[in-house]
Amino acid sequence: MGETSNLPTAANFVHDVVVEHNATGAFGGRVQTRFPPEPNGYLHIGHAKAITADFELAREFNGVCRLRFDDTNPDTEDASFVAGIVEDLAWLGYPLDHDPLFTSDYFAQLAEWAELLISNGLAYVDDQDGDTISEQRGGYGKPGVESPFRNRTVDENLALFAGMRAGDFDEGARVLRARIDMQHENMQLRDPVMYRIRKEPHHRTGDGWSVYPTYDWAHGQSDAIEGVTHSLCSLEFDSHRALYDWFLDRLSEFAALPFEQPRQYEFARLELTHTITSKRKLATLVADGVVDGWDDPRLPTLRGLRRRGYPAAAIREFCHFVGVSKTNSRHEIELLESFIRTRLNKVAQRRMAVLEPLRVVITNWPTDADGDPIVEYVELNNNPENTEDGTRTAPFSGVLYIEHDDFKAEPPPKYYRLTPGREVRLRGAYFVTATDFVSDDDGNVVEVHVTYDPETKGGNSLDGRKVKSTMHWVSAAHAVEAEVALYERLFAAEVPGSETGDPFDDLNSDSKTLLHGCKLEPALAETAAEEVVQFERLGYFAADQRTPLLFHRTVGLRDEWANIQKRK
RNA sequence: UGGGGCGUGGUGUAAUUGGUAACACAGCAGUUUCUGGUACUGUCAUUGGGGGUUCAAGUCCUCCCGCCCCAACCA
């Protein structure tokens, strides 16, 4: 987490609010936030922004931020998500220093407070069904209609709510509603539902409850119980703030709240181009097998990004840079990728790997007494950005693999690489000149013949002669075979669904390419699981967490040659 | 249709709170380079629109326009 604090100050209006509060003595200088996911899915990049906003705000003011599971809906929640979220949070850089909190731990307190509101005529049991209640709510600019059950006596309400709690009624038969104002211009205040009946067992409380608090009734009260001061949430809860305050205001009239009343602040959620952050839609992609699970490297889930090789620190830096504001916006995925590259450029070890191999024979390479090509070992830098990472050695011999794209029988304009008659450098080894090539029946080049200049050992010419390009290579006799997964954007459109309204219409059917028979330099066989290395000239690649010799392309290098080709 | 939020370059975020538009990404043009990588240089907006106040407005006033959110017993 330390790195983040070294970044320049980014936009954060909540930060400014806290500064203001501290200046005026609000909350006694205390800052407490919370990250409140519902355990009904895995965390994604959008959550990363909320997480950094919550945790970093607390950290900056020496406050505390705690994880609280907002588990008020037994229909959708699952214990496996609880564990997954805790794990992802730790990976992101926020390991828990406390047992996670659960809204379900406050169910008893919440119910007690609900009875307090009932006793003061501020809540009532409604026997109508959802459709009726919804109709009576009215509409924007249209008045609401009061429920015929709105004026039940306190005793009747108390008895009925007790019955709801006892499980006397079926799901949907009754709800507890706040008694506010059916004509309120803010629809949220038109007698919102506080409790509904659910018979589904809860992942923690089991069959202990048959009524469950709604988000609105649970959230502010949970914040108050914990002593949260600044309760951050996304923009769409803006209209809920009045309700958040109403509950707390009323409650504080009848009960002593343990802390000063928390306040809610809304900020814009993080949206990125070429991807989606809807939990429901991500779940659909997983369920339909469009991707290979929640940790598919194409997904914006934290576990997907992790598997893909995105460094947690880079994600944090990105979130910090993006800041906290109220403007609805969508960041270009390229910005995130630039943070990934910047970080990886500093730390990733350089290696040579040939993804689409083309056989190269050095026709003048010397042989030993048995007639076999001799083998030399060349020394290579592990990381030009950090000489302390030292060097390694790679075997070089008379038969090699180079990238198929690195040879063209007929070079296009501005092509610097190998082509008949041209001399190039094989990184760290020798200058070679293409003399000939072999094609198959379809005209595809299958082998290139070159001659090498023994005077250029190590990759430099004695006469100062320059070469246009330096290419990576792998010795055929020593190559380690591997699989490499290449990823493109999961969604072709910048804004998935912008045309048809359905994001899935913009799914890119070619988002994954699995390459077999890739040739790696021997040092790559020792790559640790999850380590990200740079395949020189190609990009950053992450070793799979479970399968050895499987690499995922994290992100490509910036590629000017690709831009040149695109322009044509 | 009522209420609320928001509009600065291709994208996102700034602007000492009225003082002459900054940073990053992307793009383009170059320099350096044993990665067409990195690094470095240059270039790329007059702030949704109109009117007003002022020596001075992205910042204040006013009218208009546009986008987003709210009528789940989801969160």
PDB file of all heavy atoms in Angstrom, chain A residues 44-61:
ATOM      1  N   HIS A  44     -14.705  -7.152  -8.727  1.00  0.00           N
ATOM      2  CA  HIS A  44     -14.142  -6.793 -10.029  1.00  0.00           C
ATOM      3  C   HIS A  44     -13.457  -5.426  -9.953  1.00  0.00           C
ATOM      4  O   HIS A  44     -13.412  -4.804  -8.886  1.00  0.00           O
ATOM      5  CB  HIS A  44     -15.215  -6.840 -11.115  1.00  0.00           C
ATOM      6  CG  HIS A  44     -16.428  -5.990 -10.832  1.00  0.00           C
ATOM      7  ND1 HIS A  44     -16.368  -4.615 -10.732  1.00  0.00           N
ATOM      8  CD2 HIS A  44     -17.728  -6.317 -10.611  1.00  0.00           C
ATOM      9  CE1 HIS A  44     -17.568  -4.130 -10.488  1.00  0.00           C
ATOM     10  NE2 HIS A  44     -18.417  -5.146 -10.397  1.00  0.00           N
ATOM     11  N   ILE A  45     -12.960  -4.992 -11.106  1.00  0.00           N
ATOM     12  CA  ILE A  45     -12.169  -3.761 -11.138  1.00  0.00           C
ATOM     13  C   ILE A  45     -12.948  -2.558 -10.607  1.00  0.00           C
ATOM     14  O   ILE A  45     -12.367  -1.642 -10.025  1.00  0.00           O
ATOM     15  CB  ILE A  45     -11.656  -3.503 -12.582  1.00  0.00           C
ATOM     16  CG1 ILE A  45     -10.719  -2.301 -12.656  1.00  0.00           C
ATOM     17  CG2 ILE A  45     -12.810  -3.316 -13.563  1.00  0.00           C
ATOM     18  CD1 ILE A  45      -9.355  -2.546 -12.080  1.00  0.00           C
ATOM     19  N   GLY A  46     -14.263  -2.585 -10.786  1.00  0.00           N
ATOM     20  CA  GLY A  46     -15.076  -1.495 -10.258  1.00  0.00           C
ATOM     21  C   GLY A  46     -15.012  -1.454  -8.734  1.00  0.00           C
ATOM     22  O   GLY A  46     -14.931  -0.387  -8.128  1.00  0.00           O
ATOM     23  N   HIS A  47     -15.027  -2.634  -8.132  1.00  0.00           N
ATOM     24  CA  HIS A  47     -14.904  -2.699  -6.677  1.00  0.00           C
ATOM     25  C   HIS A  47     -13.541  -2.189  -6.231  1.00  0.00           C
ATOM     26  O   HIS A  47     -13.407  -1.626  -5.152  1.00  0.00           O
ATOM     27  CB  HIS A  47     -15.080  -4.135  -6.180  1.00  0.00           C
ATOM     28  CG  HIS A  47     -16.467  -4.675  -6.361  1.00  0.00           C
ATOM     29  ND1 HIS A  47     -16.750  -5.660  -7.284  1.00  0.00           N
ATOM     30  CD2 HIS A  47     -17.634  -4.360  -5.753  1.00  0.00           C
ATOM     31  CE1 HIS A  47     -18.048  -5.929  -7.218  1.00  0.00           C
ATOM     32  NE2 HIS A  47     -18.612  -5.165  -6.313  1.00  0.00           N
ATOM     33  N   ALA A  48     -12.535  -2.415  -7.081  1.00  0.00           N
ATOM     34  CA  ALA A  48     -11.182  -1.986  -6.711  1.00  0.00           C
ATOM     35  C   ALA A  48     -11.156  -0.484  -6.448  1.00  0.00           C
ATOM     36  O   ALA A  48     -10.490  -0.004  -5.537  1.00  0.00           O
ATOM     37  CB  ALA A  48     -10.182  -2.362  -7.804  1.00  0.00           C
ATOM     38  N   LYS A  49     -11.921   0.255  -7.248  1.00  0.00           N
ATOM     39  CA  LYS A  49     -11.978   1.703  -7.031  1.00  0.00           C
ATOM     40  C   LYS A  49     -12.626   2.019  -5.693  1.00  0.00           C
ATOM     41  O   LYS A  49     -12.140   2.842  -4.923  1.00  0.00           O
ATOM     42  CB  LYS A  49     -12.756   2.374  -8.154  1.00  0.00           C
ATOM     43  CG  LYS A  49     -12.975   3.858  -7.917  1.00  0.00           C
ATOM     44  CD  LYS A  49     -13.734   4.513  -9.037  1.00  0.00           C
ATOM     45  CE  LYS A  49     -14.018   5.984  -8.695  1.00  0.00           C
ATOM     46  NZ  LYS A  49     -14.728   6.663  -9.797  1.00  0.00           N
ATOM     47  N   ALA A  50     -13.744   1.347  -5.414  1.00  0.00           N
ATOM     48  CA  ALA A  50     -14.438   1.578  -4.145  1.00  0.00           C
ATOM     49  C   ALA A  50     -13.546   1.184  -2.969  1.00  0.00           C
ATOM     50  O   ALA A  50     -13.480   1.886  -1.960  1.00  0.00           O
ATOM     51  CB  ALA A  50     -15.734   0.779  -4.111  1.00  0.00           C
ATOM     52  N   ILE A  51     -12.844   0.071  -3.139  1.00  0.00           N
ATOM     53  CA  ILE A  51     -11.964  -0.422  -2.079  1.00  0.00           C
ATOM     54  C   ILE A  51     -10.855   0.579  -1.782  1.00  0.00           C
ATOM     55  O   ILE A  51     -10.611   0.938  -0.627  1.00  0.00           O
ATOM     56  CB  ILE A  51     -11.360  -1.784  -2.478  1.00  0.00           C
ATOM     57  CG1 ILE A  51     -12.459  -2.856  -2.480  1.00  0.00           C
ATOM     58  CG2 ILE A  51     -10.228  -2.170  -1.532  1.00  0.00           C
ATOM     59  CD1 ILE A  51     -12.054  -4.149  -3.186  1.00  0.00           C
ATOM     60  N   THR A  52     -10.196   1.045  -2.828  1.00  0.00           N
ATOM     61  CA  THR A  52      -9.106   1.995  -2.591  1.00  0.00           C
ATOM     62  C   THR A  52      -9.665   3.295  -2.030  1.00  0.00           C
ATOM     63  O   THR A  52      -9.057   3.901  -1.149  1.00  0.00           O
ATOM     64  CB  THR A  52      -8.300   2.279  -3.867  1.00  0.00           C
ATOM     65  OG1 THR A  52      -9.192   2.685  -4.913  1.00  0.00           O
ATOM     66  CG2 THR A  52      -7.538   1.061  -4.325  1.00  0.00           C
ATOM     67  N   ALA A  53     -10.823   3.717  -2.520  1.00  0.00           N
ATOM     68  CA  ALA A  53     -11.414   4.951  -1.989  1.00  0.00           C
ATOM     69  C   ALA A  53     -11.656   4.809  -0.494  1.00  0.00           C
ATOM     70  O   ALA A  53     -11.309   5.689   0.289  1.00  0.00           O
ATOM     71  CB  ALA A  53     -12.712   5.269  -2.716  1.00  0.00           C
ATOM     72  N   ASP A  54     -12.255   3.692  -0.096  1.00  0.00           N
ATOM     73  CA  ASP A  54     -12.589   3.481   1.314  1.00  0.00           C
ATOM     74  C   ASP A  54     -11.351   3.276   2.190  1.00  0.00           C
ATOM     75  O   ASP A  54     -11.189   3.927   3.214  1.00  0.00           O
ATOM     76  CB  ASP A  54     -13.509   2.257   1.451  1.00  0.00           C
ATOM     77  CG  ASP A  54     -14.954   2.587   1.099  1.00  0.00           C
ATOM     78  OD1 ASP A  54     -15.434   3.639   1.532  1.00  0.00           O
ATOM     79  OD2 ASP A  54     -15.589   1.786   0.383  1.00  0.00           O
ATOM     80  N   PHE A  55     -10.501   2.367   1.760  1.00  0.00           N
ATOM     81  CA  PHE A  55      -9.334   2.036   2.588  1.00  0.00           C
ATOM     82  C   PHE A  55      -8.307   3.158   2.626  1.00  0.00           C
ATOM     83  O   PHE A  55      -7.726   3.441   3.668  1.00  0.00           O
ATOM     84  CB  PHE A  55      -8.681   0.730   2.120  1.00  0.00           C
ATOM     85  CG  PHE A  55      -9.386  -0.511   2.607  1.00  0.00           C
ATOM     86  CD1 PHE A  55     -10.456  -1.042   1.908  1.00  0.00           C
ATOM     87  CD2 PHE A  55      -8.985  -1.131   3.788  1.00  0.00           C
ATOM     88  CE1 PHE A  55     -11.115  -2.180   2.350  1.00  0.00           C
ATOM     89  CE2 PHE A  55      -9.646  -2.265   4.258  1.00  0.00           C
ATOM     90  CZ  PHE A  55     -10.717  -2.792   3.537  1.00  0.00           C
ATOM     91  N   GLU A  56      -8.076   3.778   1.476  1.00  0.00           N
ATOM     92  CA  GLU A  56      -7.053   4.827   1.443  1.00  0.00           C
ATOM     93  C   GLU A  56      -7.508   6.086   2.162  1.00  0.00           C
ATOM     94  O   GLU A  56      -6.710   6.793   2.762  1.00  0.00           O
ATOM     95  CB  GLU A  56      -6.659   5.146   0.002  1.00  0.00           C
ATOM     96  CG  GLU A  56      -5.947   4.002  -0.726  1.00  0.00           C
ATOM     97  CD  GLU A  56      -4.653   3.554  -0.054  1.00  0.00           C
ATOM     98  OE1 GLU A  56      -3.978   4.394   0.580  1.00  0.00           O
ATOM     99  OE2 GLU A  56      -4.325   2.353  -0.155  1.00  0.00           O
ATOM    100  N   LEU A  57      -8.802   6.370   2.111  1.00  0.00           N
ATOM    101  CA  LEU A  57      -9.312   7.539   2.835  1.00  0.00           C
ATOM    102  C   LEU A  57      -9.075   7.348   4.331  1.00  0.00           C
ATOM    103  O   LEU A  57      -8.591   8.240   5.017  1.00  0.00           O
ATOM    104  CB  LEU A  57     -10.805   7.731   2.565  1.00  0.00           C
ATOM    105  CG  LEU A  57     -11.401   9.027   3.134  1.00  0.00           C
ATOM    106  CD1 LEU A  57     -10.974  10.225   2.299  1.00  0.00           C
ATOM    107  CD2 LEU A  57     -12.914   8.943   3.204  1.00  0.00           C
ATOM    108  N   ALA A  58      -9.393   6.167   4.802  1.00  0.00           N
ATOM    109  CA  ALA A  58      -9.201   5.879   6.224  1.00  0.00           C
ATOM    110  C   ALA A  58      -7.709   5.939   6.578  1.00  0.00           C
ATOM    111  O   ALA A  58      -7.315   6.565   7.555  1.00  0.00           O
ATOM    112  CB  ALA A  58      -9.772   4.507   6.557  1.00  0.00           C
ATOM    113  N   ARG A  59      -6.908   5.307   5.749  1.00  0.00           N
ATOM    114  CA  ARG A  59      -5.479   5.258   6.031  1.00  0.00           C
ATOM    115  C   ARG A  59      -4.873   6.664   6.096  1.00  0.00           C
ATOM    116  O   ARG A  59      -4.079   6.978   6.972  1.00  0.00           O
ATOM    117  CB  ARG A  59      -4.771   4.436   4.962  1.00  0.00           C
ATOM    118  CG  ARG A  59      -3.329   4.075   5.292  1.00  0.00           C
ATOM    119  CD  ARG A  59      -2.674   3.333   4.154  1.00  0.00           C
ATOM    120  NE  ARG A  59      -2.754   4.080   2.908  1.00  0.00           N
ATOM    121  CZ  ARG A  59      -1.970   5.090   2.587  1.00  0.00           C
ATOM    122  NH1 ARG A  59      -1.030   5.486   3.438  1.00  0.00           N
ATOM    123  NH2 ARG A  59      -2.113   5.722   1.452  1.00  0.00           N
ATOM    124  N   GLU A  60      -5.292   7.480   5.157  1.00  0.00           N
ATOM    125  CA  GLU A  60      -4.720   8.825   5.065  1.00  0.00           C
ATOM    126  C   GLU A  60      -4.994   9.656   6.314  1.00  0.00           C
ATOM    127  O   GLU A  60      -4.188  10.511   6.685  1.00  0.00           O
ATOM    128  CB  GLU A  60      -5.299   9.518   3.840  1.00  0.00           C
ATOM    129  CG  GLU A  60      -4.564  10.787   3.513  1.00  0.00           C
ATOM    130  CD  GLU A  60      -5.010  11.359   2.185  1.00  0.00           C
ATOM    131  OE1 GLU A  60      -5.795  10.698   1.486  1.00  0.00           O
ATOM    132  OE2 GLU A  60      -4.569  12.470   1.875  1.00  0.00           O
ATOM    133  N   PHE A  61      -6.135   9.410   6.946  1.00  0.00           N
ATOM    134  CA  PHE A  61      -6.475  10.202   8.132  1.00  0.00           C
ATOM    135  C   PHE A  61      -6.341   9.381   9.405  1.00  0.00           C
ATOM    136  O   PHE A  61      -6.964   9.689  10.423  1.00  0.00           O
ATOM    137  CB  PHE A  61      -7.897  10.754   7.996  1.00  0.00           C
ATOM    138  CG  PHE A  61      -8.027  11.772   6.892  1.00  0.00           C
ATOM    139  CD1 PHE A  61      -8.475  11.397   5.637  1.00  0.00           C
ATOM    140  CD2 PHE A  61      -7.655  13.092   7.108  1.00  0.00           C
ATOM    141  CE1 PHE A  61      -8.582  12.337   4.610  1.00  0.00           C
ATOM    142  CE2 PHE A  61      -7.757  14.036   6.087  1.00  0.00           C
ATOM    143  CZ  PHE A  61      -8.217  13.655   4.836  1.00  0.00           C
TER     144      PHE A  61
END
